C-alpha cells in the first residue's frame, strides 16, 4: 500500500522534475493563486478550497462544493562567485563561478472543499509545498547539483458554529532529495559524490481556527514538524569532509520539514479586503536544517484585494529574513593545524552553493476573472527581489600540495519570478 501511494505521488510530481527554489527558506509563500497574489496571506483570510492547507478552518467560505486546479511556473535565477580574500592567490581573484541551470519548474496544486451542512465541511487536496536546488554540473568548481521536492496530500475536516470554526488537515508528505558534487576528483569518468535520489513518506497535521465578526476575520494556524529521512543523502554528501577531519562523523540523513505557527487577520469593507499574516518557521528545531545552522524565520505578509462582481485584483508583499547565517568560518591566519577548525567554512560552502535559500522580499500581483457563477480563473505573479549573500567558505589549495593556502569568500546572487494559474469550478 505504501509503495502504491508513493508511486501515485511520484506521478503527480512529474510536473516538477527540475529543481525548484521556494521563497521562505525552502517553503513556498503560499500554494494557491489567490493567496500568492495577496503576498502569501492565507491564515486570516479565506481563499475557498485552497485554504485547506494553510488554515483548514477557513474552507467555511465554500457555499456548496468548490474544485481548484492550479500550477505555478517557478523561475529562480541563482549564481555564485568564489574569490580569494588572501593567501597564495592575490585577494580579489575569482577562483570559481557559475550560473545554476535549475531555472524553471512546475509546481502543481489541486484543492476540493464541500459544505456538508451549516456546521461541517471537508475536502481533499494535493499540493507542491516546498523545494530547492541548483545545477552547476557544467560550471566547474564543485559542480554541485541538489534537488529537494516536497508534495503533500491532505483531507481538511472543519466544524463551524456562530462565526467560530476549527479545522484539522491530516497530511501525508512525499519527499525526494538528491545531492551530488565533485569533491576534487579530476577523473573524467568520476560520477561525483552522491547516492542517487532518495525518497520518503511521512505523516503530519495542520491545525487551524478562525473567528469572524462583522467584517473582521481572525485566524490561527499550526503545522506540525514532519520528520523525513533520505537514505544516503546527507551522510554521503558530508562523508568526504568527515574523512578530512572537518566533521567528527558524517551527518545523518534526516531532513525534517519544520513546524510553523502563525496568526492572521483581515478586514473587508465595500469590496476591499486588507489582510496581514505573521508566522514563524522553526528551522532551528528541524533535523538537518539545524545541523546546517539555519535559524528560525519570522515571516510577515501583507495583502490587498478589490473584488467586483465579475473580477478581482490583488497585490501584496512578503518578507522573511534569510535563515542562513555565518556558521563560524575562520581564516588561515587563525588556523591552528586541525582541519576540524574549518567546520564553519564547510557549512557555509554547502549552504551557499547547495541550498542558497536566500531571497527575503517578495512583491506580488494577482487577479480573478469570473466567466460565470460556476467558473473562474485566478492569476498571480510573484517577484522575489534580488538578494546578495557573502560568507567565508572553504580555503582553497591553490598549489595542490594537499594543504589549504588561500582564503575564500563566496557570493550568491538570487532572485525569483513565478506565474500561477488556477481554474475554479463551484457547484
Amino acid at each position: 500500500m505504501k509503495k502504491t501511494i508513493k508511486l501515485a505521488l511520484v506521478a503527480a510530481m512529474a510536473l516538477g522534475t527540475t529543481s525548484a527554489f521556494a521563497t521562505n527558506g525552502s517553503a513556498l509563500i503560499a500554494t494557491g493563486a489567490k493567496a500568492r497574489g495577496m503576498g502569501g496571506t492565507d491564515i486570516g483570510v479565506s481563499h475557498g478550497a485552497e485554504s485547506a492547507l494553510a488554515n483548514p478552518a477557513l474552507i467555511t467560505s465554500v457555499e456548496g462544493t468548490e474544485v481548484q486546479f492550479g500550477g505555478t511556473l517557478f523561475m529562480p535565477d541563482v549564481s555564485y562567485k568564489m574569490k580569494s580574500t588572501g593567501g597564495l592567490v592575490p585577494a580579489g581573484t575569482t577562483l570559481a563561478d557559475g550560473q545554476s541551470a535549475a531555472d524553471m519548474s512546475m509546481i502543481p496544486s489541486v484543492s476540493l472543499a464541500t459544505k456538508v451542512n451549516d456546521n461541517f465541511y471537508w475536502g481533499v487536496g494535493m499540493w507542491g509545498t516546498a523545494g530547492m536546488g541548483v545545477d552547476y554540473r557544467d560550471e566547474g568548481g564543485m559542480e554541485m547539483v541538489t534537488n529537494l521536492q516536497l508534495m503533500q496530500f491532505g483531507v481538511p475536516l472543519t466544524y463551524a458554529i456562530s462565526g467560530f470554526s476549527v479545522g484539522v488537515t491530516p497530511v501525508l508528505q512525499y519527499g525526494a532529495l538528491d545531492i551530488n558534487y565533485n569533491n576534487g576528483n579530476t577523473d573524467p569518468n568520476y560520477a561525483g559524490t552522491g547516492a542517487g535520489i532518495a525518497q520518503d513518506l511521512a505523516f503530519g497535521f495542520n491545525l487551524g481556527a478562525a473567528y469572524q465578526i462583522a467584517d473582521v476575520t481572525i485566524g490561527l494556524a499550526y503545522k506540525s514538524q514532519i520528520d523525513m529521512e533520505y537514505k544516503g543523502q546527507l551522510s554521503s554528501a558530508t562523508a568526504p569532509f568527515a574523512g578530512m577531519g572537518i566533521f567528527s562523523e558524517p551527518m545523518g540523513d534526516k531532513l525534517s520539514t519544520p513546524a510553523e505557527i502563525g496568526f492572521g487577520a483581515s478586514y473587508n469593507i465595500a469590496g476591499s479586503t486588507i489582510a496581514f499574516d505573521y508566522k514563524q518557521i522553526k528551522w532551528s528545531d528541524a533535523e538537518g536544517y539545524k545541523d546546517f545552522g539555519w535559524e528560525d524565520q519570522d515571516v510577515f505578509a501583507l495583502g490587498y484585494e478589490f473584488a467586483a462582481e465579475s473580477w478581482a485584483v490583488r497585490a501584496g508583499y512578503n518578507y522573511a529574513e534569510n535563515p542562513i547565517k555565518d556558521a563560524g568560518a575562520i581564516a588561515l591566519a587563525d588556523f591552528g593545524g586541525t582541519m576540524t577548525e574549518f567546520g564553519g567554512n564547510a557549512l557555509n560552502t554547502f549552504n551557499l552553493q547547495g541550498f542558497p535559500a536566500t531571497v527575503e522580499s517578495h512583491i506580488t500581483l494577482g487577479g480573478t476573472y469570473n466567466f460565470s457563477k460556476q467558473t473562474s480563473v485566478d492569476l498571480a505573479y510573484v517577484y522575489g527581489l534580488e538578494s546578495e549573500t557573502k560568507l567565508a567558505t572553504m580555503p582553497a589549495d591553490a598549489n595542490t600540495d594537499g594543504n589549504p593556502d588561500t582564503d575564500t569568500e563566496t557570493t550568491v546572487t538570487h532572485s525569483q519570478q513565478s506565474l500561477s494559474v488556477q481554474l475554479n469550478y463551484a457547484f
Side-chain angles (χ1 to χ4, degrees):
M1 180 64 180
K2 186 175 181 180
K3 182 178 291 185
T4 301
I5 295 173
K6 183 179 289 189
L7 289 173
L9 290 169
V10 171
M13 290 192 72
L15 290 172
T17 54
T18 58
S19 300
F21 270 100
T23 46
N24 298 146
S26 64
L28 290 171
I29 64 170
T31 57
K34 289 185 176 70
R36 291 182 65 79
M38 290 183 68
T41 51
D42 54 13
I43 298 176
V45 57
S46 178
H47 300 299
E50 80 172 56
S51 293
L53 200 60
N55 184 350
L58 292 173
I59 65 172
T60 53
S61 66
V62 173
E63 297 179 357
T65 297
E66 184 175 82
V67 183
Q68 300 173 329
F69 297 93
T72 295
L73 178 64
F74 210 94
M75 298 165 285
D77 185 354
V78 186
S79 62
Y80 84 95
K81 181 172 289 187
M82 179 184 289
K83 290 186 175 182
S84 166
T85 56
L88 186 63
V89 178
T93 303
T94 297
L95 303 173
D97 60 6
Q99 177 77 34
S100 173
D103 57 5
M104 186 176 297
S105 62
M106 280 296 298
I107 306 171
S109 174
V110 180
S111 305
L112 180 150
T114 187
K115 178 180 179 179
V116 177
N117 54 47
D118 288 341
N119 301 113
F120 184 63
Y121 300 74
W122 76 282
V124 65
M126 184 178 291
W127 309 270
T129 59
M132 57 184 174
V134 294
D135 187 347
Y136 292 125
R137 74 186 75 194
D138 297 323
E139 298 294 337
M142 292 180 69
E143 299 177 0
M144 182 79 76
V145 178
T146 60
N147 189 359
L148 170 68
Q149 297 183 47
L150 298 179
M151 173 165 277
Q152 294 185 351
F153 172 85
V155 179
L157 304 169
T158 301
Y159 180 80
I161 185 170
S162 302
F164 178 74
S165 59
V166 292
V168 58
T169 303
V171 170
L172 172 65
Q173 178 169 278
Y174 167 83
L177 177 64
D178 185 20
I179 304 175
N180 187 284
Y181 65 93
N182 187 332
N183 64 352
N185 194 317
T186 59
D187 184 347
N189 296 317
Y190 176 61
T193 297
I197 296 175
Q199 306 170 73
D200 196 16
L201 283 173
F203 288 95
F205 62 89
N206 297 352
L207 300 176
Y211 182 68
Q212 184 173 355
I213 179 170
D215 297 317
V216 176
T217 301
I218 298 172
L220 297 172
Y222 172 78
K223 296 182 179 180
S224 71
Q225 179 172 303
I226 302 179
D227 295 324
M228 307 289 287
E229 184 171 3
Y230 304 101
K231 293 182 179 179
Q233 288 301 315
L234 294 174
S235 58
S236 175
T238 57
F241 289 87
M244 295 167 58
I246 293 175
F247 302 120
S248 59
E249 59 183 21
M251 287 185 180
D253 288 317
K254 292 183 178 180
L255 189 67
S256 298
T257 300
E260 298 181 18
I261 186 168
F263 161 85
S266 63
Y267 176 66
N268 179 276
I269 182 171
S272 292
T273 300
I274 299 173
F276 171 79
D277 279 4
Y278 163 78
K279 64 182 176 183
Q280 186 175 77
I281 306 177
K282 301 287 190 178
W283 301 110
S284 67
D285 294 329
E287 293 290 338
Y289 292 103
K290 68 178 180 181
D291 297 320
F292 279 96
W294 284 35
E295 295 186 351
D296 294 343
Q297 271 187 313
D298 294 313
V299 182
F300 303 90
L302 181 66
Y304 172 78
E305 175 189 74
F306 179 79
E309 183 176 353
S310 61
W311 55 270
V313 293
R314 303 180 183 92
Y317 176 75
N318 183 289
Y319 176 81
E321 187 177 357
N322 170 14
I324 297 173
K325 307 302 177 185
D326 190 341
I330 68 166
L332 286 170
D334 300 316
F335 177 43
T338 59
M339 293 298 289
T340 54
E341 295 175 80
F342 290 120
N345 301 63
L347 288 178
N348 287 348
T349 301
F350 269 109
N351 278 327
L352 290 187
Q353 289 200 31
F355 301 100
T358 54
V359 167
E360 297 184 333
S361 296
H362 313 82
I363 298 172
T364 74
L365 296 171
T368 295
Y369 181 75
N370 301 313
F371 297 102
S372 67
K373 290 184 178 180
Q374 289 75 39
T375 60
S376 62
V377 61
D378 304 318
L379 298 174
Y381 172 77
V382 178
Y383 178 67
L385 277 66
E386 183 175 276
S387 67
E388 186 175 277
T389 305
K390 294 182 180 180
L391 292 174
T393 45
M394 283 298 297
D397 178 15
N399 62 7
T400 65
D401 65 354
N403 298 306
D405 52 42
T406 302
D407 287 320
T408 71
E409 180 182 72
T410 295
T411 300
V412 165
T413 303
H414 185 184
S415 64
Q416 305 165 350
Q417 297 184 75
S418 67
L419 179 64
S420 302
V421 179
Q422 184 168 275
L423 299 176
N424 311 297
Y425 183 67
F427 55 94

